Amino acid sequence: MACGEFSLIARYFDRVRSTRRDVETGIGDDCALLSVAEKQLLAISTDTLVSGVHFLPDIDPRDLGYKALAVNLSDLAAMGADPAWLTLAITLPEVDEPWLEAFSDSLFEQLDYYGMQLIGGDTTRGPLSMTLGIHGLVPAGRALKRSGARAGDWIYVTGTPGDSAAGLAILQDRLDVADAQQADYLRKRHLRPKPRVLHGQALRDRASSAIDLSDGLVSDLGHILKASDCGARILLDSLPYSEAMRDNVDAEQALRWALSGGEDYELCFTVPELNRGALDVAIGNLGVPFTCIGQVVPASEGLQFFEEGRPVTLDLKGYDHFASH
Amino acid sequence: MACGEFSLIARYFDRVRSTRRDVETGIGDDCALLSVAEKQLLAISTDTLVSGVHFLPDIDPRDLGYKALAVNLSDLAAMGADPAWLTLAITLPEVDEPWLEAFSDSLFEQLDYYGMQLIGGDTTRGPLSMTLGIHGLVPAGRALKRSGARAGDWIYVTGTPGDSAAGLAILQDRLDVADAQQADYLRKRHLRPKPRVLHGQALRDRASSAIDLSDGLVSDLGHILKASDCGARILLDSLPYSEAMRDNVDAEQALRWALSGGEDYELCFTVPELNRGALDVAIGNLGVPFTCIGQVVPASEGLQFFEEGRPVTLDLKGYDHFASH
């Protein structure tokens, strides 16, 4: 195995297009050696993607190369960290050169875009899966944590959550969208989610907490509420929907996808009243809508949903993530 | 999946026995947040272990928990780095609680021993495999790289390479060792390799290059020679063998295992003539034999083997790793 392993790594992954100054030794020794500037904290996250669980087995390798990195960048965005280095451990059933070329081209394109460098990895034979380790840098004391929300803070989301679930439904022939442009938009929201890295950076010192939407809004907001020991009121009328969603999906399904669809990789964050003006200035020009969807309340009030000013009870089946906490 | 995932993580992996001061945020946010002291470099390595490829499918989970970490610690040792943090991405076919308890107990025992902290991870369902990301710290400018060997330097190994391959042969019923203690010793060398962390630290400023023996001596020394643009003379008479190896394995097989057995996780390193005295002082009291097995020569001389003072040609079949470079 090791022979094939080395030639694989050498050929497809050992191409250093960007050379960061903080990388003293990259791929090719027992460890990579990195320097971290003074007063910077290191932010580290790791995610595994398994074929058939996290992506469709017949996924275009270019989409996979994109999404594998985007999902991990989204974790950095949620901390307000600047992307820096990546490790990639990939398990492949066979050496499929066109596949590897398309996958690695797409991955390196994104790495270059974000000024990142691949610093190490491992290649093994087996069922297709990969584990990425992403490393970012954030000024000490300015990271966005889940635990900073306080009663009275306003709750925001970027973008239009639920689109990714609608896109997946199209890909799996569970949703029919006649308009080709709208269908394409929704599919792209699933296959090519945009990690909100710039938003995360701009939210430092302004948001009191943040998380990225990987499991669904109710579930992920639940993590903030749990870590911050708070409750929340969500105004269902305020939930933002894309035009493609409004035009093609009935209201009940759209609501369900918005609250629990998952894989949107938008940010959900809380902002103290005093910072709302600064927020508009900080992220108003980034070309992505952001919407206030409710307010943080004391933990004793739990998580409540309102529609037309009145509390409503939602059937929380399908919101398992939150139910488990 | 996510539900089970969270309860798994919470129950077995979210136990912080050691709390390092450099961990500002551990498990439980989008990223871990870590601080790196001034004048320290970060050393990062990642390794995947797949059932049936890197370990026997019926391996005792305690041995697996030990070895998964040991293999990664060995990469830090080869750089002379101090162990610090671990990420663990594990894919499991099912939630087998006794298995998880035994695996994680063993893993945390080792983490505690080395003063390390688990800072993040991911749990997914699928065929058993895991990817560890290990993070260490090394004083800037003092890391042991593969590229520092120079003609004239002496080549050393710790321990007795080949024992791990003999241990594996016993486990697979390919080798019969009558003496129970000797059989146990060899099996342990395969199942519980000792990462040479203390040796790596002591070799800073003394060794000119280092690597750990994962693929076999010829292959791994080959990486040093390639990175340093050198050749080497290996004195086969000098290769160190354990008593268990000498008593139970014929000379030809022992030589083959010593040169290409793999998975010994001993260190191979080079030392300039001037540092040989300091070397004895630095690692002479660590309780592990270390042996000079040859000398670095100019690249033009290639890799040569000597027996009783005369050059010998080895059949390099089974030494694929090196042949591929």
Side-chain angles (χ1 to χ4, degrees):
Chain A
M1 180 66 221
C3 241
E5 171 186 336
F6 290 138
S7 55
L8 269 181
I9 291 174
R11 190 138 170 207
Y12 293 102
F13 297 111
D14 193 4
R15 39 174 156 172
V16 177
R17 289 194 198 157
S18 78
T19 311
R20 292 176 58 99
R21 285 193 187 180
D22 53 12
V23 178
E24 190 186 302
T25 300
I27 291 174
D29 212 309
D30 294 293
C31 297
L33 290 174
L34 300 316
S35 63
V36 175
E38 230 183 314
K39 297 182 182 164
Q40 295 275 314
L41 285 183
L42 185 64
I44 298 181
S45 180
T46 188
D47 262 308
T48 298
L49 290 90
V50 177
S51 178
V53 180
H54 301 92
F55 55 88
L56 304 173
D58 62 350
I59 189 172
D60 181 327
R62 292 191 65 86
D63 288 333
L64 183 58
Y66 177 96
K67 191 163 177 177
L69 184 57
V71 166
N72 280 274
L73 280 165
S74 185
D75 282 319
L76 289 186
M79 300 299 286
D82 306 322
W85 320 304
L86 184 75
T87 60
L88 171 68
I90 188 166
T91 303
L92 297 164
E94 59 186 344
V95 180
D96 176 342
E97 302 220 3
W99 191 97
L100 269 166
E101 188 170 344
F103 174 82
S104 59
D105 277 353
S106 173
L107 179 74
F108 277 97
E109 200 176 289
Q110 288 302 305
L111 286 172
D112 287 350
Y113 179 82
Y114 288 100
M116 299 187 70
Q117 189 168 332
L118 186 69
I119 54 158
D122 197 5
T123 314
T124 50
R125 208 172 291 262
L128 180 60
S129 72
M130 62 193 71
T131 296
L132 284 75
I134 201 162
H135 301 76
L137 299 164
V138 61
R142 296 178 64 196
L144 302 170
K145 300 186 187 178
R146 296 180 180 177
S147 55
R150 297 293 172 262
D153 290 355
W154 298 96
I155 302 168
Y156 285 81
V157 291
T158 60
T160 47
D163 287 350
S164 176
L168 178 62
I170 296 175
L171 288 165
Q172 295 181 326
D173 290 326
R174 289 183 284 110
L175 174 67
D176 198 40
V177 172
D179 183 287
Q181 274 197 321
Q182 289 189 332
D184 189 53
Y185 164 83
L186 291 171
R187 273 192 301 261
K188 280 237 172 77
R189 294 301 307 141
H190 180 75
L191 294 172
R192 300 254 171 170
K194 290 263 190 309
R196 302 303 182 193
V197 174
L198 292 177
H199 287 78
Q201 292 165 346
L203 287 173
R204 291 177 198 155
D205 307 328
R206 294 182 180 100
S208 52
S209 73
I211 194 168
D212 68 318
L213 299 183
S214 54
D215 296 332
L217 184 53
V218 171
S219 168
D220 293 317
L221 175 60
H223 292 306
I224 285 184
L225 299 180
K226 191 180 178 220
S228 300
D229 193 23
C230 288
R233 291 183 195 177
I234 302 297
L235 310 179
L236 298 181
D237 315 284
S238 303
L239 289 176
Y241 295 102
S242 65
E243 199 180 305
M245 182 76 92
R246 280 198 308 270
D247 288 355
N248 296 282
V249 177
D250 69 71
E252 196 192 315
Q253 178 67 79
L255 175 65
R256 183 164 288 271
W257 277 338
L259 292 181
S260 67
E263 295 204 52
D264 282 301
Y265 301 106
E266 298 291 349
L267 294 185
C268 174
F269 55 96
T270 61
V271 178
E273 172 67 28
L274 270 176
N275 290 354
R276 291 183 88 181
L279 177 73
D280 292 336
V281 175
I283 66 172
N285 292 317
L286 295 179
V288 177
F290 59 100
T291 311
C292 180
I293 60 165
Q295 194 168 20
V296 180
V297 297
S300 57
E301 297 186 33
L303 176 61
Q304 304 172 334
F305 300 94
F306 289 79
E307 203 161 15
E308 295 174 0
R310 279 185 304 223
V312 291
T313 304
L314 287 181
D315 171 15
L316 283 179
K317 239 185 279 173
Y319 305 93
D320 298 329
H321 301 302
F322 188 66
S324 76
H325 289 283
Chain B
M1 181 63 220
C3 239
E5 173 185 335
F6 290 137
S7 56
L8 269 181
I9 291 174
R11 190 137 168 209
Y12 293 104
F13 297 112
D14 192 4
R15 40 172 154 172
V16 177
R17 289 195 196 154
S18 78
T19 311
R20 292 177 58 99
R21 282 192 188 182
D22 53 13
V23 178
E24 191 186 301
T25 300
I27 291 174
D29 213 310
D30 295 291
C31 296
L33 291 174
L34 300 315
S35 63
V36 175
E38 230 184 314
K39 297 183 184 166
Q40 295 274 314
L41 284 184
L42 186 63
I44 298 181
S45 179
T46 189
D47 262 309
T48 298
L49 290 92
V50 178
S51 177
V53 180
H54 301 93
F55 55 88
L56 304 173
D58 62 351
I59 190 173
D60 181 327
R62 293 192 63 87
D63 288 333
L64 183 58
Y66 177 95
K67 192 163 178 177
L69 184 58
V71 166
N72 280 274
L73 280 165
S74 185
D75 283 318
L76 289 186
M79 301 298 287
D82 306 321
W85 319 305
L86 183 75
T87 60
L88 171 68
I90 187 166
T91 302
L92 298 164
E94 58 185 344
V95 180
D96 176 342
E97 302 220 4
W99 191 97
L100 269 166
E101 188 171 342
F103 173 82
S104 59
D105 276 354
S106 173
L107 179 74
F108 276 98
E109 201 177 286
Q110 289 302 304
L111 287 172
D112 286 350
Y113 180 81
Y114 287 101
M116 299 188 72
Q117 189 168 335
L118 186 68
I119 55 158
D122 197 5
T123 314
T124 51
R125 209 173 290 263
L128 180 59
S129 72
M130 63 193 71
T131 296
L132 283 76
I134 201 162
H135 301 75
L137 300 163
V138 60
R142 296 179 63 196
L144 302 170
K145 300 185 186 177
R146 295 179 180 177
S147 55
R150 297 291 172 264
D153 290 355
W154 298 95
I155 302 168
Y156 286 82
V157 290
T158 60
T160 47
D163 286 350
S164 176
L168 179 61
I170 296 175
L171 288 165
Q172 294 181 326
D173 290 326
R174 290 182 284 110
L175 174 66
D176 199 40
V177 172
D179 183 289
Q181 274 196 323
Q182 290 189 332
D184 189 53
Y185 164 83
L186 291 172
R187 273 192 301 262
K188 279 236 172 76
R189 295 303 305 143
H190 180 74
L191 294 173
R192 301 253 170 171
K194 290 263 190 312
R196 302 303 183 194
V197 174
L198 292 177
H199 287 78
Q201 292 164 347
L203 288 173
R204 292 177 196 155
D205 309 329
R206 296 183 179 99
S208 53
S209 73
I211 195 169
D212 68 316
L213 298 183
S214 54
D215 296 333
L217 184 53
V218 171
S219 169
D220 292 317
L221 175 61
H223 291 307
I224 285 184
L225 299 179
K226 192 180 178 218
S228 301
D229 193 24
C230 289
R233 290 182 197 178
I234 302 297
L235 310 180
L236 298 182
D237 315 283
S238 304
L239 289 176
Y241 295 102
S242 65
E243 199 181 304
M245 182 76 93
R246 280 198 307 271
D247 288 355
N248 296 282
V249 178
D250 70 71
E252 197 191 318
Q253 178 65 78
L255 175 65
R256 183 164 288 269
W257 277 339
L259 291 181
S260 67
E263 296 204 51
D264 282 301
Y265 301 104
E266 297 292 349
L267 293 185
C268 174
F269 55 96
T270 60
V271 177
E273 171 68 26
L274 270 176
N275 290 355
R276 289 183 88 180
L279 178 72
D280 291 338
V281 175
I283 67 172
N285 291 317
L286 295 179
V288 177
F290 58 101
T291 312
C292 181
I293 60 165
Q295 196 168 20
V296 181
V297 297
S300 57
E301 297 187 32
L303 176 61
Q304 304 172 334
F305 299 94
F306 288 79
E307 202 161 13
E308 294 174 3
R310 280 184 301 225
V312 292
T313 305
L314 287 180
D315 172 13
L316 284 178
K317 239 185 282 174
Y319 305 93
D320 298 328
H321 301 301
F322 187 67
S324 76
H325 291 282

